[in-house]
Amino acid sequence: MRQRERERALWDAFFHMDVELWQVLTRRLQQDTGLSEPDWQVLDALGNTEGHTLRAFELARTLMFGKSRLHQHVGRMEQRGLVEREPVPGDARATAVSLTPQGLSVFRRAQAYRARHIREELIGALTADEVERLIAISGKIRAHVRRDTSD
């Protein structure tokens, strides 16, 4: 196989695997928990943070959400009782987003489903050696694409 054909085959395989895996994970999360993927991303970011709280700009950066998208999505989650927004003491312009007790409960329940889905749909398709190789390859690609970015 020529290099261009091999590169095309790699991209097609990777792209379609990624799209189909996320479609399955998103659908299963919605079916089992009623959460959307953006809901999960917010809950996961806050649920894995000390105190289950982040400043809004930190949450937006973590999720790679724009300011408007984060504001709108957090507003919808706030109406459902999953998160709350409060001013940051000593910084009148800053807002903190926190999980409510209900949000933490929903996160923990969804976390178990997400872990099971990943085991069944991703890890279950691979041998132990392939899992280790995928971890290494994924880390190498992430480091490469981040090489020119700085915070």
Side-chain angles (χ1 to χ4, degrees):
M1 184 181 297
R2 292 184 312 184
Q3 184 168 343
R4 281 187 164 224
E5 291 169 344
R6 187 171 182 195
E7 289 171 357
R8 179 61 189 210
L10 168 65
W11 176 248
D12 286 346
F14 175 82
F15 177 79
H16 292 294
M17 176 276 304
D18 183 61
V19 169
E20 292 171 17
L21 177 62
W22 279 109
Q23 286 175 346
V24 167
L25 292 175
T26 298
R27 184 180 67 247
R28 290 189 68 189
L29 183 73
Q30 177 69 41
Q31 289 171 343
D32 290 340
T33 68
L35 295 171
S36 68
E37 193 63 36
D39 290 340
W40 166 253
Q41 291 172 5
V42 171
L43 293 175
D44 188 49
L46 295 173
N48 287 302
T49 301
E50 182 80 25
H52 309 300
T53 300
L54 285 170
R55 287 177 177 236
F57 84 90
E58 293 171 317
L59 182 58
R61 185 179 64 209
T62 298
L63 301 177
M64 294 186 275
F65 281 16
K67 184 178 178 180
S68 177
R69 179 180 181 197
L70 180 72
H71 177 75
Q72 291 175 8
H73 197 81
V74 166
R76 289 189 295 272
M77 292 180 74
E78 193 172 30
Q79 290 175 349
R80 292 165 35 215
L82 301 175
V83 299
E84 59 189 4
R85 291 183 275 196
E86 296 179 338
V88 173
D91 189 347
R93 298 184 306 162
T95 301
V97 181
S98 303
L99 286 181
T100 63
Q102 177 186 346
L104 183 58
S105 176
V106 168
F107 165 67
R108 288 186 175 144
R109 180 175 170 265
Q111 191 177 35
Y113 279 107
R114 177 47 60 99
R116 187 176 83 212
H117 299 158
I118 290 168
R119 278 192 305 274
E120 292 172 359
E121 303 298 342
L122 176 63
I123 298 168
L126 303 171
T127 65
D129 184 55
E130 289 169 332
V131 168
E132 294 305 316
R133 289 195 326 242
L134 184 55
I135 291 168
I137 291 167
S138 297
K140 188 174 185 176
I141 292 169
R142 288 185 72 203
H144 181 76
V145 299
R146 291 178 173 189
R147 72 194 176 282
D148 294 328
T149 61
S150 61
D151 286 352

